[in-house]
Amino acid sequence: MHELIKQFRYTLVESAVNLIPILLIIIGFQLFVFQSLPQDVISICIGFIIVIVGVTFFLMGLEIGIFPLGNNLSSEFLERKSILLFALFGFSLGFSASIAEPAIIAVASQAGEITQGALNPLTLRIIIAISVGLITAFGIIRTIIGWNIAVIIIIGYLIVLIVTYFTPTAIIGLAYDSGGVATNVATVPLIIALGVGIASALQGRSVLKDGFGFVALAAITPMISIQLYGIFALGSDFGSETIEFISNVEDEAHYDKGFTLFGIVIDLFKTFLNLVPIIATILIFQYLVIKKPLANLSGVIFGFIFLIIGLYGFIVGIKLGLFPIGESIANNLVQMNNVFFIYLFAFLIGFGTTMAEPALIAVIKQADKMSSIRLNVTIIRLLVAIGVGCGILFGAYKIVNGYNIWLLITILYSIVVILTIFAPKQIVAFAFDLGGVTTSEITVPIVTAFGIFLASNIEGRNVLMDGFGLIAFASVFPMITVMTYSIIINLINSIKAT
């Protein structure tokens, strides 16, 4: 217990430090750009404190429950030597986690509201969930057999770009954003733990090269499937008519500002319900297929309890702190009619939210812990944060100027494919996964709201066509920054060696 309390204190301090970039950005804009204080400043401060505590519980839950559970499940399935059963577990886990994921529900609901029902939110969620389930199963098979992840990812993105060419323009941004939100805060750590567990258990496998790549694959398939749905179910003329933006779209993951003890219990239960499909899948396979009790049962139970408290905490904190201040700043920026400050805010908010992203921190630490190669956690976080900042800036530039998303995405993914060829093979899968991890519980709601708000306040913009897509840019740029850095370091080391 003493060790647990010590770990909690350390994680609490670390979580507080991680939120400093967001605080500096917000304070800087309010004091030096707008020269005023926001309304509900006390509520916003309380929200930030809740976010810090929530992130702390979330990271603790991953460390004591989820990561050990994933590693243990991998070992158990490998001992049974049944790839089919392992793949079936992967499909069930990917599907069950995605169908109840708040970020997916939020984006699907926004799409349904904006199109006045032309896009059915449940249909979108089912398509994404099936896609994630299938690719998780494939990822398990790929890791066991040892297929080259770089080749698979390149082929995957080539298919994405080809399909995008035939997709109704109005659906492209949503499709790419669906790939980003599919790699969510609950699923990512567990499927990464599965991959790392497989690579660790099999001889001749590298944790970085073979254990990662699941998140990258899970981001690709929803892009393809949503676009295919657009081509065959919606038709090429979908979205050509003007779609009126419906304001005040409520995110199902948001919580009211009025808190009561009963309300908090109800909301905690709702958060628990989001994890029920994952827990049910694990228990069914553990006791009916593996037919063994869970190892470290108390750790798993406490891990999920911490995870639930953490998820609830930082979603509530975001609603109280980040959403009001983000909306206020975005509104002030549009009223100022100064694109420089819009771009500056876009970069800084991408950078700040990524530095605070709990899933990113957890995954980089897990990679550093399990890999034989020492990774500089701080530098990688900075590279990813800079990448996301550039991605949001690029996306905001697209919205302001009304550029075609297909052309921009094609150029960016072409750069990614070229970098994949030259980047060290050990780092490719890890770099792709980092692109997916960035679009999680903190980043997605803020970035999506910013894009929709921006598109709805610029004359001549279609909210569905222009408002979505920021998540896609936020995902691709970290791949570029991390792989570029690894190529440069590799060249420097080669020069030193000679």
Side-chain angles (χ1 to χ4, degrees):
M1 181 60 72
H2 175 72
E3 195 63 33
L4 192 65
I5 293 173
K6 183 180 177 182
Q7 186 180 357
F8 185 87
R9 286 175 182 168
Y10 174 80
T11 309
L12 182 66
V13 172
E14 187 179 42
S15 300
V17 171
N18 290 336
L19 277 175
I20 288 175
I22 298 179
L23 285 170
L24 291 176
I25 292 164
I26 290 169
I27 292 170
F29 266 84
Q30 288 294 154
L31 295 182
F32 300 111
V33 178
F34 307 134
Q35 298 181 354
S36 65
L37 287 175
Q39 295 179 342
D40 300 328
V41 67
I42 295 175
S43 174
I44 290 168
C45 292
I46 292 172
F48 271 95
I49 293 171
I50 295 174
V51 167
I52 291 169
V53 176
V55 170
T56 302
F57 272 101
F58 176 80
L59 292 175
M60 288 287 293
L62 293 181
E63 194 64 34
I64 66 176
I66 305 304
F67 283 140
L69 175 62
N71 290 330
N72 181 65
L73 284 170
S74 296
S75 300
E76 294 285 1
F77 275 109
L78 289 173
E79 281 181 17
R80 291 181 62 88
K81 297 181 179 178
S82 175
I83 296 180
L84 180 61
L85 282 176
F86 204 170
L88 181 60
F89 171 73
F91 173 82
S92 303
L93 183 68
F95 180 89
S96 62
S98 299
I99 198 67
E101 161 60 27
I104 294 175
I105 293 171
V107 170
S109 298
Q110 284 180 327
E113 292 281 352
I114 289 169
T115 60
Q116 301 180 44
L119 290 172
N120 184 280
L122 181 60
T123 302
L124 294 175
R125 287 168 57 196
I126 291 173
I127 291 172
I128 294 171
I130 291 174
S131 302
V132 174
L134 288 173
I135 206 62
T136 304
F138 175 80
I140 288 170
I141 296 170
R142 193 279 309 174
T143 307
I144 293 173
I145 295 176
W147 290 331
N148 189 317
I149 186 66
V151 173
I152 294 170
I153 290 173
I154 289 173
I155 292 172
Y157 278 116
L158 288 175
I159 294 172
V160 169
L161 294 177
I162 292 169
V163 172
T164 302
Y165 181 78
F166 299 98
T167 302
T169 307
I171 208 77
I172 293 174
L174 175 63
Y176 278 92
D177 278 3
S178 298
V181 297
T183 51
N184 57 68
V185 73
T187 316
V188 163
L190 192 51
I191 64 173
I192 283 181
L194 285 175
V196 169
I198 297 171
S200 302
L202 294 175
Q203 279 191 327
R205 295 285 189 273
S206 160
V207 170
L208 275 183
K209 183 181 177 183
D210 301 300
F212 287 86
F214 277 68
V215 177
L217 294 174
I220 292 173
T221 44
M223 298 181 197
I224 297 172
S225 57
I226 292 293
Q227 289 187 105
L228 290 176
Y229 171 71
I231 294 169
F232 294 108
L234 302 176
S236 58
D237 60 343
F238 177 79
S240 57
E241 71 281 359
T242 302
I243 299 175
E244 293 295 331
F245 175 70
I246 300 175
S247 60
N248 299 322
V249 176
E250 290 295 329
D251 183 340
E252 292 184 30
H254 291 185
Y255 296 82
D256 294 330
K257 287 187 177 182
F259 294 101
T260 63
L261 181 60
F262 179 74
I264 290 172
V265 172
I266 292 297
D267 287 337
L268 278 169
F269 182 71
K270 287 179 182 178
T271 307
F272 167 71
L273 289 179
N274 291 329
L275 297 177
V276 164
I278 301 175
I279 296 170
T281 300
I282 291 168
L283 292 178
I284 289 169
F285 276 85
Q286 182 72 43
Y287 289 98
L288 298 183
V289 178
I290 297 174
K291 296 180 180 178
K292 287 183 181 179
L294 277 170
N296 187 28
L297 180 60
S298 60
V300 172
I301 291 172
F302 275 107
F304 271 103
I305 291 173
F306 279 21
L307 201 66
I308 291 165
I309 295 172
L311 279 170
Y312 171 75
F314 68 69
I315 290 173
V316 169
I318 287 170
K319 180 64 186 286
L320 283 175
L322 291 182
F323 275 119
I325 193 66
E327 184 178 328
S328 172
I329 290 176
N331 186 47
N332 286 332
L333 288 170
V334 171
Q335 289 180 358
M336 285 179 68
N337 197 27
N338 187 320
V339 291
F340 170 76
F341 285 118
I342 290 176
Y343 296 151
L344 180 62
F345 177 73
F347 173 81
L348 291 176
I349 204 64
F351 178 87
T353 54
T354 305
M355 288 296 289
E357 189 62 64
L360 174 66
I361 300 164
V363 167
I364 295 175
K365 284 188 172 182
Q366 180 74 355
D368 182 52
K369 179 181 175 181
M370 301 297 295
S371 173
S372 57
I373 300 174
R374 290 300 90 196
L375 301 171
N376 190 315
V377 176
T378 303
I379 288 179
I380 291 175
R381 281 181 61 205
L382 283 170
L383 287 168
V384 174
I386 290 169
V388 174
C390 290
I392 306 301
L393 167 60
F394 196 78
Y397 183 80
K398 179 198 80 71
I399 294 173
V400 170
N401 294 280
Y403 289 128
N404 185 301
I405 188 172
W406 182 83
L407 176 62
L408 298 177
I409 286 289
T410 301
I411 293 170
L412 291 173
Y413 278 119
S414 298
I415 294 170
V416 168
V417 169
I418 293 169
L419 289 173
T420 303
I421 296 169
F422 294 100
K425 303 308 174 192
Q426 291 276 9
I427 209 73
V428 170
F430 182 53
F432 274 99
D433 275 4
L434 290 175
V437 172
T438 57
T439 51
S440 189
E441 207 70 30
I442 288 181
T443 316
V444 166
I446 297 174
V447 170
T448 302
F450 177 70
I452 290 174
F453 187 88
L454 199 59
S456 64
N457 283 277
I458 295 178
E459 190 176 348
R461 298 293 172 265
N462 180 306
V463 177
L464 181 64
M465 194 179 300
D466 299 302
F468 289 96
L470 288 184
I471 300 298
F473 293 123
S475 296
V476 69
F477 269 89
M479 304 175 195
I480 294 173
T481 54
V482 172
M483 283 196 284
T484 300
Y485 173 77
S486 69
I487 291 170
I488 293 170
I489 292 299
N490 209 32
L491 283 173
I492 292 172
N493 290 338
S494 297
I495 294 170
K496 285 181 179 179
T498 56

